[in-house]
Amino acid sequence: MRLILLGPPGAGKGTQAQRLVEKYGIVQLSTGDMLRAAVAAGTPVGIQAREIMARGELVPDAVVVAIIADRIEQPDARKGFILDGFPRTEAQAEALGKLLHQKGLDLDAVIELKVDESILLHRVERRVAEMTARGEAVRADDNAESLKKRLDAYRAQTAPLVHFYAGKGMLRTVDGMEPIDDVTSAIGRILAEAAFRPKAAGSAAKRGQAAAKTKSGAKAKSKAKLASKTKKAAKKAPKKAVKKVTRKGVSKTAKKTPKKVSKKKPAPRGKSKSRRAGKKVRRARKARK
Ligand code: AMP
C-alpha cells in the first residue's frame, strides 16, 4: 500500500501516519523527520536545510526529491509506505510520479486531511506542551511566527496539489476536525475501498488497457460461442438435399420432401380393390369347372 497524506501543518498527518504504520505494517516516510535527522547529524543536507526550516520555508525540491528517491529504495519500503509531508509542491508531485512509474509502482490513495486553519495554532501549541512534558526537544519551527510562514507556504505551494490529484481522480478528503479515532476510521474505510480496486500495475492508462482487453476478450468469447451454436444447430437441422437411392444405384441428389400425413381414412378391409379382384378370379375358375 502506498499513500500520500496531504494537509497543513498541525492537521494530524503524523498522528494518523503512525496509526497506519501499526495497522498495515508499512513505513512512514516523513520528509520533515528526515530533514530534522539530517540537521541533527550535521550532514551537508542538514546544514543546507537548517535555516530554511527554522524560518518555516520550503527546502529546495531537488533536495527532498533526492531524499525520497533514496528512501523508497530501502528494503523496508517495499511493502508500502505513507508519505507524510511529501510532496509539497507540484514539481515534487511530478518527480514522485516519475519515480514510481520507473519502478512500475502505483499510488493507492491521496488523502487530504481538511481542517480549519483557526485551530492549527492551538494544535501546534498543544504539541509543544506535550513534547516539553515528555522532555523532548521542541521543534525550532513550532512557534507562532514560523507557523504563519509554514501556513503561507502550504497555501501557496502545497494546497494546489489537492487539485493536482483530484484531476487524476486519486484524491479523497477526510474531515480532520473530527476526533482522532474517527479520522482513523474514515481513512481505514478509504483504504479498504482502495484495496478492492482492480490494480493494474502502473497507471490509470494501464487500467484502461486492461479494461479494453477484458472487453475484447469477452467479445471474442461470445463470437466463438455463437459460431459453435450455429454449427450445432446446422448439425441438428434436416438436410434439404439427400442422395436418392434408385434401382440403378445412388443417383443425383433430390430434395427430400417431408412425409405427407394422409387425411384419408383407410378403406374398409372387405372393399379393397385387391380383394375384389381375387373374388372375381375365384368365381371365373369355378364357372370353368
Ligand atoms: P514538517 O515536519 O512536515 O512540518 O516539515 C518541517 C519542515 O521541513 C518544513 O517546514 C520544511 O521546511 C521542511 N520540509 C519538509 N518536507 C518538505 C518538502 N517535501 N519540501 C520542502 N520542504 C520540506
Side-chain angles (χ1 to χ4, degrees), residues 3 8 14 22 28 33 41 60 80 85-86 110 120 133 139 150 157 163 176 182 190 204 211 213 224 232 272 274 283:
L3 61 131
E22 279 167 33
Q28 173 191 8
D33 283 349
F86 180 92
V110 177
L120 296 178
R139 284 170 52 163
R150 286 156 68 198
Q157 289 160 281
H163 306 289
D182 293 355
I190 291 171
K213 232 180 177 180
K232 273 182 193 168
S272 83
S274 56
R283 247 187 252 138

Side-chain angles (χ1 to χ4, degrees), residues 7-263:
K13 301 186 298 291
T15 306
Q16 294 300 331
Q18 271 164 23
R19 291 180 166 211
L20 292 167
V21 165
E22 279 167 33
K23 192 170 174 189
Y24 296 98
I26 52 179
V27 288
Q28 173 191 8
L29 305 185
S30 157
T31 38
D33 283 349
M34 290 183 233
L35 287 167
R36 277 185 287 278
V39 170
T43 65
V45 165
I47 292 165
Q48 189 188 350
R50 187 189 175 101
E51 293 304 316
I52 301 172
M53 289 173 74
R55 286 198 301 269
E57 293 167 10
L58 292 188
V59 172
D61 290 334
V63 174
V64 280
V65 169
I67 291 176
I68 282 293
D70 191 50
R71 187 62 186 85
I72 60 178
E73 282 290 340
Q74 306 300 313
D76 64 347
R78 250 176 233 152
K79 206 173 155 195
F81 48 77
I82 307 152
L83 291 168
D84 160 14
F86 180 92
R88 251 174 156 108
T89 64
E90 213 162 304
Q92 290 178 22
E94 300 274 11
L96 174 68
K98 273 187 200 151
L99 268 176
L100 295 178
H101 184 74
Q102 278 164 10
K103 293 175 179 297
L105 300 176
D106 214 357
L107 282 172
D108 292 281
V110 177
I111 300 173
E112 177 201 11
L113 298 182
K114 214 176 171 71
V115 288
D116 291 347
E117 280 191 13
S118 56
I119 64 140
L120 296 178
L121 181 59
H122 173 69
R123 284 194 181 180
V124 168
E125 282 170 352
R126 197 176 57 200
R127 177 161 69 196
V128 170
E130 284 168 2
M131 286 175 93
T132 311
R134 287 197 298 264
E136 291 169 12
V138 172
R139 284 170 52 163
D141 58 353
D142 264 354
N143 57 67
E145 201 188 321
S146 287
L147 178 68
K148 196 188 162 296
K149 283 250 182 95
R150 286 156 68 198
L151 274 175
D152 287 345
Y154 181 80
R155 271 187 235 112
Q157 289 160 281
T158 312
L161 293 186
V162 166
H163 306 289
F164 179 88
Y165 286 115
K168 291 181 184 294
M170 299 169 80
L171 187 85
R172 301 298 305 268
T173 301
V174 166
D175 184 357
M177 301 294 284
E178 293 290 312
I180 293 175
D181 286 347
D182 293 355
V183 175
T184 306
S185 304
I187 293 174
R189 283 193 293 276
I190 291 171
L191 297 181
E193 268 174 43
F196 292 117
R197 243 182 8 221
K199 227 190 263 175
S203 57
K206 273 191 184 167
R207 266 201 281 279
Q209 275 173 17
K213 232 180 177 180
T214 323
K215 268 188 195 166
S216 67
K219 250 187 185 175
K221 263 189 186 173
S222 72
K223 257 189 180 179
K225 237 184 180 177
L226 195 72
S228 89
K229 262 188 184 173
T230 321
K231 231 179 174 180
K232 273 182 193 168
K235 263 187 187 174
K236 274 187 187 171
K239 281 172 191 159
K240 280 188 180 162
V242 291
K243 295 223 165 148
K244 196 178 178 184
V245 181
T246 64
R247 265 189 216 158
K248 286 175 190 166
V250 179
S251 81
K252 56 196 163 186
T253 56
K255 275 198 177 172
K256 192 183 183 182
T257 43
K259 268 188 191 170
K260 269 187 188 170
V261 181
S262 172
K263 282 180 186 170

Side-chain angles (χ1 to χ4, degrees), residues 263-274:
K263 282 180 186 170
K264 270 187 192 170
K265 276 185 188 172
R269 261 180 80 88
K271 282 179 187 170
S272 83
K273 256 185 188 177
S274 56

